[in-house]
Amino acid sequence: MAPSASAPVLARETAPPAAPGLGRFAGILGAALLILGLAAFPHLVGSQYYIHLVTVIAIYAILILGLDIVVGYTGQVSLGHAGLFGVGAYAAAVLFLKFKLGIWLGLLAGIGVTAAFGLLLAIPALRVSGPYLAMVTLAFGTIVQIFINEMTDLTNGPLGITLPPARVLDFSLLGLSSPWGAAGRRLEFYYLVCACLLLTILVVNRVVRSPFGRAFEALRDSPIACDCMGVSVYRYKVYAFVISAGLAGLAGALFAWSERYVAPNTYGFELTVLFLLAVTMGGRKSRSGPLIGAAIVVMMPNILADIELVRMMAGGIAALAVAILAVAFLRRRENRFALLVPALLCIAFFPATLALQSVTDYRLTVFGLMILFVVYYLPEGIVGYLREKLPFLRPAHTGEGRLLTAAGEALIRQGGREGTDPLLRVEGAVMQFGGLKALAGVDLAVRPGTIHGLIGPNGSGKSTMMNVLTGIYQPTDGAVVLAGANRLDGRTPSEIALAGVARTFQNVQLFREMTALENVLVGLHHSFQGTLFDAILSTPRRRREEREARARAMAMLDFVGLGALAQVEARNLPYGKQRLLEIGRALALDPVLLLLDEPAAGLTAPDIAELTTIIRKIRDAGITVILIEHHMDVVMGLCDRVSVLDFGHKIAEGNAREVQSDPKVIEAYLGSPVADAAE
Amino acid sequence: MHIFLQLVASGVAVGMIYAAIAFGYQLTFATSKTLNFGQGEALMLGALFGLTLVPFTGYWLMLPLVLVFGFALGALVERLGVRPAVKIKSEYGWIMATIALGIIFKNVAENIWGRDDLKFPSPLPEAALTFGGVRVLPMELLVVAGALLMMLAVELFNRRSIWGKAVVATSNDIDAAGLMGINTRKVITLSYAISAMTAAFAGVLVAPVTLTGATMGSVLALKAFAVAIIGGLESGLGVIVGGLILGVAETLTGFYISTGYKDVPGLILLLLVLAVRPVGLFGKAVIKKV
């Protein structure tokens, strides 16, 4: 539904603690400084050595920006990015070696071939996460290295491939000579890399702020909720990997032409760890972080080669550690003992550098120590730390489209099904876990436009039923049918969600690091038709869809009474509001059926009153509700019909009064009078 | 056929080493759902430490010292790399921290023992024994026996001793174990210590068969992970079968295709198993609760 012109358009105050405009301003300022700096650098510093250094930093930054999509946004550890980098480099180099094709086709091949490899890698990587994924990607990187070494016909094996100087702009094709002379020609490649870097920043910016980026973040925070919002975790992990791999390929191809030599040993485990160090140290989920990280890891070997400089830095660090430690102990800070070990290590580092003639041999040890330091004392990286200290650096994109409008009744789309035929039919559902039958042939018929209660003592199979209905469990036997013809059993959670079944969770499963508004926008993911290219090119369709979705999301937040909290991160909301936000997010799916799993659990009395009002409003809007709840007054007050489960069997069904007085129900909850008498 | 049997025989020895390292992964995964990404470096340090001791102590006396060394190393890794990350519930944290410790160990080893591969003196005669035409090195027999004994000893420890029972209890349900008064942190440290101990022991076992050097651990550890995945991270029998499959697959590939590709089948197998059956051949699917 497009926001109708007559609908009241509310301009909303969005005044989070720091004015969001400032953050955006900082971003634009940073971008301008970067462009100016990159453009002026070769003219300020004539030395080829430093220009080359900046080129390498820029190339690394391209890869690390891509790696950040996987590590920062989707929260997966990839140890395969050096392998992908190598694939890109070899794609470009082999193209030249075999077909004498120059840098431009090399770049395209680098992106294409590596993205394809990313897709290949995603297949095993999809089913796993965490340490498994880390090992899979590590195995991938190792395989790549072995193949590069062994396929001598294609890659020249351990000898490597040497490339001539890159010919970026070929004026001779036009019969002209270069307008900027030989000295200018040497800078062509530098500017090409800079352009690629800026382009990468732009693309990554647009992707992470699009529905794709939101899906990446959502699948990190709660994969299961992500699937239940109709956003297939499976598919978006592939997207993240492929985009990330494409950028790694671009970086690899540029690197091949920058070094003009490729050899298998460059692309090993050490490089992968370096990339990860850069992304963590710089700060994830930012554009400036990878730039800073890249600069640090590229310059580090150069700094370490200069023993005097290292000693000076170690001295500085030691002095700082002594100062921090002294302050902590004098003021009797809480953390003074926790600081002791790292501070002593920092201090010990100084005499160690004095004793050593050269630190170069201990380069990897220094890197290892840096990783440990970053992991434990700077987990959000340099940028994350600065953002925490300086509010104006916080990202402004959550406040994008500052004029947040709530387009009136944009709430209900699919609801409003009337009639007496059941909307949802469950026939003989059996769910068996080993020897335990959590559901032993349960039938259920839910009439449209009603609130259907599902109650029973703990362990009676209520939540199992919920999981069977939403596809998280595949039922051992039986059928689940929506709206007369739509079989749900055997389909994936995201398919079921898109068919119109939304749910909330017993223990809140919000996307914690995203704002309330973004949480609802993930629920609205199904309303976006735009492709990845729409996102990258920022087409009119993409902008219109975003505008409409934001308006609807605001309307939904208003509906659940969270309009004023739209820009607050979900993890910072009070518990009661988190429950309501989950309902709002579920409504964004435009469901015909909404499953609420103990929505009142842990809520205070006023919160419960608000909740029951909202549930009634949802029913009145035409959405059918299944309610699992332990608060009997809520169930009795709301439900049109109640089913009672006990040990996987349905023992009673009827309206609230009937069920309440059913002796079997009383027995299930309170125990049998006969058994009590026997005691 | 003759050659085939010969290849299988050598594959078995390598496979048992993988099994021993994979067994170490299982130990820590069971108690804390974490793995030491520096397991290969624990193996390498064990081997190099043993090599340094051999001239002073001889091979057999060196073994218990290496065990103690591995035990201490594992406890150190757990304290420095894993415990702080588990405390803040950061998966990324312990993965990166154990990798970092691994890099540091490798780099330090390079600086102490040099970058070149060293020859580890074999305690047994180097002449091969012949069984029905299949030649087997005595050292290979020692590898198989040693790895099996090691695993058996740890299993016995888990079943019989009170600390072992604490390990098993923690593996089954860490929260319940904690509520029963078991110091689960100590148990996790213990599991890391035993895990690194098996790795260090595997290092001195394999060192006379292969060459010894700072880089010997990385590939072994990765392939042992493949074995742990193929067998299932929860199954003791699984790692032995997985180890044998992989060891034999490797020697066959090395002979029939090319030694350069010898490491490939294990890694491909790893990717395949994860793509098709992530819990491994012997693992049980876990139902996640919502």
Side-chain angles (χ1 to χ4, degrees), chain B residues 21-80:
Chain B
I21 310 169
F23 185 69
Y25 282 134
Q26 288 187 334
L27 289 174
T28 61
F29 191 78
T31 55
S32 60
K33 296 285 170 283
T34 61
L35 304 171
N36 182 2
F37 275 70
Q39 192 81 334
E41 278 64 41
L43 176 141
M44 172 272 294
L45 283 182
L48 286 171
F49 183 72
L51 180 65
T52 311
L53 286 184
V54 166
F56 305 104
T57 59
Y59 189 84
W60 304 106
L61 190 61
M62 172 271 290
L63 290 179
L65 294 173
V66 167
L67 289 180
V68 173
F69 172 78
F71 193 88
L73 187 74
L76 181 79
V77 168
E78 198 272 341
R79 282 296 171 91
L80 283 182

Side-chain angles (χ1 to χ4, degrees), chain A residues 509-531:
Chain A
Q509 297 267 355
L510 285 170
F511 308 127
R512 295 168 47 76
E513 285 187 24
M514 303 169 80
T515 63
L517 184 70
E518 286 172 312
N519 266 276
V520 179
L521 282 170
V522 174
L524 281 169
H525 194 90
H526 63 95
S527 70
F528 289 90
Q529 304 294 321
T531 61

Side-chain angles (χ1 to χ4, degrees), chain A residues 466 502-506 579 582-583 586 594-597 599:
Chain A
M466 210 57 133
R503 70 169 290 175
T504 65
F505 296 85
Q506 197 172 336
R579 287 252 173 223
E582 241 197 342
I583 296 177
L594 174 64
L595 314 180
L596 300 174
D597 197 349

Side-chain angles (χ1 to χ4, degrees), chain A residues 463-479:
Chain A
S463 287
T464 308
M465 177 59 98
M466 210 57 133
N467 290 333
V468 165
L469 291 182
T470 50
I472 291 169
Y473 297 161
Q474 296 299 342
T476 320
D477 195 17

